[in-house]
Short mmCIF file of all heavy atoms in Angstrom, two decimals:
data_model
loop_
_atom_site.label_atom_id
_atom_site.label_comp_id
_atom_site.label_asym_id
_atom_site.label_seq_id
_atom_site.Cartn_x
_atom_site.Cartn_y
_atom_site.Cartn_z
N HIS A 8 30.43 -7.34 -2.49
CA HIS A 8 31.07 -8.63 -2.78
C HIS A 8 32.11 -8.96 -1.71
O HIS A 8 32.31 -10.13 -1.36
CB HIS A 8 31.71 -8.57 -4.16
CG HIS A 8 32.37 -9.84 -4.57
ND1 HIS A 8 31.66 -10.98 -4.87
CD2 HIS A 8 33.68 -10.18 -4.70
CE1 HIS A 8 32.50 -11.97 -5.18
NE2 HIS A 8 33.74 -11.49 -5.10
N SER A 9 32.76 -7.92 -1.14
CA SER A 9 33.76 -8.13 -0.09
C SER A 9 33.11 -8.20 1.29
O SER A 9 33.82 -8.20 2.29
CB SER A 9 34.82 -7.03 -0.13
OG SER A 9 34.21 -5.80 0.18
N ASN A 10 31.77 -8.25 1.35
CA ASN A 10 30.99 -8.40 2.57
C ASN A 10 31.05 -7.16 3.46
O ASN A 10 30.84 -7.25 4.66
CB ASN A 10 31.43 -9.65 3.36
CG ASN A 10 30.30 -10.19 4.22
OD1 ASN A 10 29.13 -9.99 3.89
ND2 ASN A 10 30.64 -10.84 5.31
N VAL A 11 31.31 -5.98 2.87
CA VAL A 11 31.24 -4.72 3.60
C VAL A 11 29.78 -4.30 3.64
O VAL A 11 29.09 -4.27 2.62
CB VAL A 11 32.10 -3.63 2.91
CG1 VAL A 11 31.91 -2.29 3.57
CG2 VAL A 11 33.57 -4.03 2.91
N LYS A 12 29.31 -3.98 4.84
CA LYS A 12 27.90 -3.62 5.02
C LYS A 12 27.76 -2.12 5.20
O LYS A 12 28.44 -1.51 6.02
CB LYS A 12 27.32 -4.37 6.21
CG LYS A 12 27.28 -5.87 6.00
CD LYS A 12 26.98 -6.61 7.28
CE LYS A 12 27.06 -8.09 7.05
NZ LYS A 12 28.42 -8.56 6.87
N THR A 13 26.86 -1.52 4.42
CA THR A 13 26.54 -0.10 4.56
C THR A 13 25.03 0.01 4.77
O THR A 13 24.26 -0.80 4.25
CB THR A 13 26.96 0.71 3.32
OG1 THR A 13 26.35 0.16 2.17
CG2 THR A 13 28.47 0.71 3.16
N LYS A 14 24.64 1.05 5.52
CA LYS A 14 23.23 1.24 5.85
C LYS A 14 22.40 1.57 4.61
O LYS A 14 22.88 2.26 3.71
CB LYS A 14 23.05 2.38 6.85
CG LYS A 14 23.57 2.06 8.23
CD LYS A 14 22.60 1.19 8.96
CE LYS A 14 23.00 1.09 10.42
NZ LYS A 14 22.12 0.26 11.18
N ARG A 15 21.16 1.10 4.58
CA ARG A 15 20.21 1.45 3.52
C ARG A 15 18.82 1.45 4.11
O ARG A 15 18.59 0.96 5.19
CB ARG A 15 20.30 0.50 2.35
CG ARG A 15 19.87 -0.91 2.70
CD ARG A 15 19.52 -1.74 1.49
NE ARG A 15 18.27 -1.25 0.93
CZ ARG A 15 17.69 -1.77 -0.14
NH1 ARG A 15 18.23 -2.76 -0.77
NH2 ARG A 15 16.57 -1.28 -0.60
N ARG A 16 17.86 2.04 3.36
CA ARG A 16 16.47 2.07 3.78
C ARG A 16 15.62 1.35 2.75
O ARG A 16 15.90 1.41 1.56
CB ARG A 16 15.98 3.51 3.90
CG ARG A 16 16.55 4.25 5.07
CD ARG A 16 15.98 5.64 5.17
NE ARG A 16 14.51 5.59 5.18
CZ ARG A 16 13.72 6.60 4.91
NH1 ARG A 16 14.23 7.77 4.61
NH2 ARG A 16 12.42 6.48 4.94
N PHE A 17 14.59 0.69 3.22
CA PHE A 17 13.62 0.07 2.35
C PHE A 17 12.40 0.97 2.30
O PHE A 17 11.87 1.37 3.34
CB PHE A 17 13.21 -1.31 2.87
CG PHE A 17 14.30 -2.33 2.79
CD1 PHE A 17 15.08 -2.62 3.88
CD2 PHE A 17 14.56 -2.99 1.61
CE1 PHE A 17 16.09 -3.55 3.83
CE2 PHE A 17 15.57 -3.94 1.52
CZ PHE A 17 16.34 -4.21 2.64
N SER A 18 11.92 1.31 1.12
CA SER A 18 10.76 2.17 0.95
C SER A 18 9.58 1.36 0.46
O SER A 18 9.75 0.41 -0.32
CB SER A 18 11.06 3.27 -0.07
OG SER A 18 12.18 4.01 0.30
N PRO A 19 8.36 1.72 0.87
CA PRO A 19 7.19 1.02 0.33
C PRO A 19 6.98 1.38 -1.14
O PRO A 19 7.37 2.44 -1.59
CB PRO A 19 6.03 1.53 1.19
CG PRO A 19 6.50 2.83 1.72
CD PRO A 19 7.98 2.72 1.84
N ASN A 20 6.38 0.46 -1.87
CA ASN A 20 6.13 0.62 -3.29
C ASN A 20 4.82 1.39 -3.49
O ASN A 20 3.78 0.80 -3.72
CB ASN A 20 6.06 -0.77 -3.95
CG ASN A 20 5.98 -0.69 -5.45
OD1 ASN A 20 6.14 0.36 -6.03
ND2 ASN A 20 5.69 -1.82 -6.07
N LEU A 21 4.85 2.73 -3.32
CA LEU A 21 3.63 3.54 -3.37
C LEU A 21 3.38 4.08 -4.76
O LEU A 21 4.29 4.47 -5.49
CB LEU A 21 3.74 4.71 -2.40
CG LEU A 21 3.80 4.36 -0.92
CD1 LEU A 21 3.93 5.64 -0.11
CD2 LEU A 21 2.57 3.61 -0.50
N ARG A 22 2.10 4.10 -5.13
CA ARG A 22 1.64 4.66 -6.41
C ARG A 22 0.42 5.53 -6.14
O ARG A 22 -0.35 5.27 -5.24
CB ARG A 22 1.23 3.55 -7.38
CG ARG A 22 2.33 2.59 -7.71
CD ARG A 22 3.31 3.23 -8.69
NE ARG A 22 4.34 2.30 -9.07
CZ ARG A 22 5.61 2.45 -8.73
NH1 ARG A 22 5.98 3.47 -8.03
NH2 ARG A 22 6.51 1.59 -9.10
N THR A 23 0.20 6.54 -6.96
CA THR A 23 -1.01 7.35 -6.91
C THR A 23 -2.00 6.74 -7.89
O THR A 23 -1.69 6.60 -9.07
CB THR A 23 -0.71 8.81 -7.26
OG1 THR A 23 0.25 9.31 -6.35
CG2 THR A 23 -1.97 9.66 -7.17
N LYS A 24 -3.16 6.37 -7.41
CA LYS A 24 -4.13 5.62 -8.22
C LYS A 24 -5.51 6.22 -8.02
O LYS A 24 -5.90 6.56 -6.90
CB LYS A 24 -4.12 4.16 -7.79
CG LYS A 24 -5.09 3.25 -8.51
CD LYS A 24 -4.47 2.70 -9.75
CE LYS A 24 -5.40 1.59 -10.28
NZ LYS A 24 -5.77 1.86 -11.63
N ARG A 25 -6.28 6.37 -9.11
CA ARG A 25 -7.65 6.86 -9.05
C ARG A 25 -8.61 5.66 -9.09
O ARG A 25 -8.45 4.77 -9.91
CB ARG A 25 -7.94 7.77 -10.21
CG ARG A 25 -7.27 9.11 -10.12
CD ARG A 25 -7.55 9.96 -11.33
NE ARG A 25 -8.94 10.35 -11.38
CZ ARG A 25 -9.64 10.46 -12.52
NH1 ARG A 25 -9.09 10.22 -13.67
NH2 ARG A 25 -10.91 10.82 -12.47
N TYR A 26 -9.60 5.68 -8.20
CA TYR A 26 -10.62 4.65 -8.17
C TYR A 26 -11.98 5.33 -8.24
O TYR A 26 -12.19 6.40 -7.68
CB TYR A 26 -10.55 3.83 -6.87
CG TYR A 26 -9.35 2.94 -6.79
CD1 TYR A 26 -8.23 3.31 -6.05
CD2 TYR A 26 -9.32 1.71 -7.43
CE1 TYR A 26 -7.13 2.49 -5.96
CE2 TYR A 26 -8.22 0.89 -7.36
CZ TYR A 26 -7.13 1.28 -6.62
OH TYR A 26 -6.05 0.47 -6.54
N PHE A 27 -12.95 4.69 -8.91
CA PHE A 27 -14.29 5.21 -8.99
C PHE A 27 -15.12 4.63 -7.87
O PHE A 27 -15.26 3.41 -7.75
CB PHE A 27 -14.95 4.89 -10.32
CG PHE A 27 -16.27 5.56 -10.53
CD1 PHE A 27 -16.32 6.93 -10.78
CD2 PHE A 27 -17.45 4.85 -10.46
CE1 PHE A 27 -17.53 7.57 -10.96
CE2 PHE A 27 -18.66 5.49 -10.63
CZ PHE A 27 -18.71 6.83 -10.87
#
Side-chain angles (χ1 to χ4, degrees):
H8 182 70
S9 64
N10 207 28
V11 174
K12 294 168 185 72
T13 56
K14 291 282 191 180
R15 66 161 289 180
R16 288 183 53 198
F17 291 98
S18 303
N20 187 10
L21 294 178
R22 300 284 182 247
T23 302
K24 179 88 169 124
R25 288 177 68 216
Y26 290 100
F27 187 73

